[in-house]
Amino acid sequence: MTISGKARLAGVMGWPIGHSRSPRLHGYWLEQYGIDGAYVPLAVPPDRIEQAMRALPALGFRGCNVTVPHKEAAYRTVDRLDATAKRMGAVNTIVVGEDGSLEGRNTDGFGFIENLRSGAPGWSAADGPALVIGAGGAARAVVASLLDEGAPRVWLVNRTRARADELAADIGNSDGVGAIETADWVSRETLLEGAALVVNTTTQGMAGQPPLELDLRALSGSAVVTDIVYTPLMTPLLAAAQARGNRVVDGVGMLLHQARPGFAAWFGREPEVTEGLKAAVLQG
Ligand code: ATR
């Protein structure tokens, strides 16, 4: 694909940025749809993030993704926030308006839900309580989106209980839905019994990390299990769940689906998540 002088431009700001799979993801779509555009990695140190974001309109960029550690700085810098970004306190997608203003969005929760919908057809957040394990940045998007999609209850457990309580206070109180219950780390296996969905948002199970310690014995056979870790795709948690007959959804789809709204806004086409895309993103 040639890039002309009229090419539509976007990218991803992070520090470091070398490991980001977003350039490959968007690059695949640009190629697939024959769009005159480019999506580039942008290595921006924390002390220059505001300057870099403010430069987007002058450079002719239509926007960018924002990743670790800049999602909170983006939240503070943009001119406007959509409702989800406001609730999350973090921005992962910036869209430059006609007037050069910056709009901050957060599509992580959208990616999480869409991944479950496509990986476990018929699944609905309203099916029953969800058990969310971990209370870092990713958990915020997971919990908020589950509540927005009608989960009757979210049980939140984290090794450090205080972080779970903080997340529940931030997310639960913002618009009154708030059916979040936090619990101690030791009670996670007891909570499995009533869960229709189990989500690992911790780093446990990632290549180089020990598996998440979770005995699935009490889990109902109809429950869906998902992991936001996608290296490896089949984490020890997912393998254990699959072995006992539960439906499992791997984590890479969250990355693929969260990219859709940004691509549509910058490049003018609703992209599709396909097996080809997944293979390209996971390659190497
Ligand atoms: P992010 O914001 O990117 O999601 P993070 O804030 O580092 O990442 O969160 C990582 C999550 O993995 C946290 O919930 C963390 O638990 P703590 O809040 O107690 O640190 C969890 N985690 C990391 N190592 C863990 C371990 N050995 N056992 C259980 N949970 C762990």
Side-chain angles (χ1 to χ4, degrees):
M1 185 70 219
T2 43
I3 297 170
S4 81
K6 291 186 186 150
R8 296 169 177 237
L9 304 175
V12 54
M13 292 185 187
W15 185 257
I17 199 62
H19 297 295
S20 171
R21 296 186 193 235
S22 293
R24 207 185 291 173
L25 202 177
H26 289 272
Y28 180 93
W29 279 331
L30 288 171
E31 186 74 39
Q32 186 86 357
Y33 303 131
I35 293 171
D36 181 15
Y39 181 102
V40 293
L42 299 162
V44 181
D47 63 341
R48 308 199 74 179
I49 186 64
E50 189 174 342
Q51 204 182 352
M53 288 188 289
R54 284 284 158 215
L56 287 168
L59 291 169
F61 272 59
R62 291 175 174 249
C64 70
N65 282 124
V66 181
T67 187
V68 180
H70 299 321
K71 291 184 178 187
E72 289 78 20
Y75 171 84
R76 291 190 300 269
T77 305
V78 294
D79 302 306
R80 275 190 318 283
L81 292 161
D82 77 356
T84 318
K86 212 175 273 179
R87 184 155 183 220
M88 230 67 91
V91 161
N92 77 335
T93 303
I94 295 177
V95 178
V96 176
E98 296 283 335
D99 58 353
S101 62
L102 305 178
E103 182 184 310
R105 305 183 185 175
N106 194 309
T107 66
D108 287 333
F110 170 83
F112 173 73
I113 297 291
E114 287 291 298
N115 184 38
L116 277 169
R117 286 210 178 109
S118 82
W123 171 84
S124 157
D127 290 345
L131 172 63
V132 177
I133 302 169
R140 229 157 246 267
V142 166
V143 170
S145 61
L146 285 172
L147 292 173
D148 287 348
E149 291 295 321
R153 188 160 300 267
V154 174
W155 291 312
L156 182 62
V157 295
N158 192 48
R159 180 180 59 174
T160 312
R161 169 83 185 253
R163 278 186 96 189
D165 291 338
E166 199 181 314
L167 193 161
D170 285 357
I171 302 290
N173 293 342
S174 61
D175 64 0
V177 264
I180 309 176
E181 260 179 52
T182 62
D184 285 331
W185 184 242
V186 290
S187 57
R188 65 198 185 282
E189 280 159 8
T190 321
L191 291 169
L192 284 174
E193 201 177 328
L197 176 73
V198 179
V199 189
N200 174 43
T201 75
T202 77
T203 47
Q204 302 293 278
M206 200 179 273
Q209 297 281 334
L212 177 72
E213 278 182 49
L214 190 69
D215 183 336
L216 296 176
R217 210 169 312 170
L219 185 65
S220 148
S222 62
V224 172
V225 180
T226 188
D227 206 322
I228 66 155
V229 169
Y230 60 86
T231 48
L233 216 46
M234 187 54 75
T235 59
L237 171 68
L238 294 185
Q242 193 168 55
R244 64 192 296 287
N246 288 94
R247 284 203 291 171
V248 302
V249 180
D250 67 54
V252 76
M254 179 175 174
L255 169 72
L256 306 181
H257 286 281
Q258 65 75 33
R260 285 167 41 200
F263 188 91
W266 308 318
F267 300 116
R269 164 147 196 177
E270 295 285 343
E272 268 183 297
V273 169
T274 59
E275 284 304 313
L277 174 74
K278 185 170 173 177
V281 167
L282 288 171
Q283 212 172 56

